[in-house]
Amino acid sequence: MIPAATDPRLQIAIDGALARIRDRAVELGPAFGALADAITRAAHGGKRLRPALVTASFDAFRTDDANASAALSVAAAFELLHTAFVVHDDVIDHDTMRRGVPNIGGEFRLRAQDGGADAEGAALLGDAAAILAGDILLHEAFRLVAMAHTDDATRDRLLTLLDDAIVVSAAGELADVENSVAMRHPSRGATLDTAFNKTAVYSFRAPLQAGAVLGGADAEALRVLGDAAGRLGLAFQLVDDLIGAFGTTQQTGRDTGPDLRENKRTPLVALARESASAGRVDEALALARTGPVAVREAQSVLESSGARERMVALVTETLASVRTAADDPALPARAGVLLRTLADGIEARIP
């Protein structure tokens, strides 16, 4: 199983950061206060994967209680970073709902309508509020790391990891959008690079390395861990792509085949387009948005192209390399156990 963030002190750290945002905002007018409340709602209800990875990695590397409070601050920072990316993603995708309720942009569209704005004005305010909310969350994530109770050298290494996570993820997001609008379909390599940059770095590599840095890991251990963590993140995203195409409604939280309905250009689709069925793949995906029958046809075409089988093989191969890295002598035994546990958890999600 992928570890869960069950430490109540972590929730306290996250709540403290959100309370600070609200305390600052309430002094700056009712609209900004409402934005802070919306940010708080947006930050609740997630799976807390990234903070769980920070604390699990810290526990795997540490030999004493030094940096224990800093680990909680850094874990909270990665949760706020994730929330910021989700909020900005919704703007990019023009989504106004999340988990069945209005997201930040949706809330402020309604607020604008209540104030008499027309549809264009409501959209303008909704997008502005969501962009600013993401900006505030990014700032708070950096502030948490910068103020963490640790020595200057460790803090500098943590800030470098956070900087890398944000820049690489932004590059991945831009590539993802560009892939979706381009006339030419992206190659398998391009979709894999996008998946890695968009998800693997900020969701796995940076949180695991941050916990290890706080736990006192040396340079060689960080290198081995970072390489394995990047592979875990890639495998996690590839499994997400499989779930988006073939997962149950319980796995997706939506109707079956959401990625097919949205005609996303994932590595799975790139693999299918490498087959002799490329023409049928394009036709099926173009129709998938029309309803469940068309989704089932698209699933059938992808299956018969061999793409699903090849994708599962790629995930299995990637996770096998993680398990090999888990035995590297540069890592403490507990870190090896953590890597194997994560690999097993990701493999268990394959639909």
Side-chain angles (χ1 to χ4, degrees), residues 154-194:
T154 300
R155 188 179 300 106
D156 285 348
R157 297 165 78 185
L158 293 170
L159 287 170
T160 298
L161 289 173
L162 190 61
D163 171 79
D164 189 56
I166 292 174
V167 172
V168 173
S169 299
E173 181 69 40
L174 181 62
D176 192 36
V177 176
E178 187 169 43
N179 288 344
S180 71
V181 301
M183 182 70 73
R184 174 179 293 182
H185 280 259
S187 66
R188 174 176 26 148
T191 58
L192 288 171
D193 286 345
T194 299

Side-chain angles (χ1 to χ4, degrees), residues 226-244:
D227 182 65
R231 293 173 186 272
L232 282 171
L234 177 61
F236 183 86
Q237 182 57 51
L238 297 182
V239 172
D240 258 6
D241 291 342
L242 284 166
I243 291 172

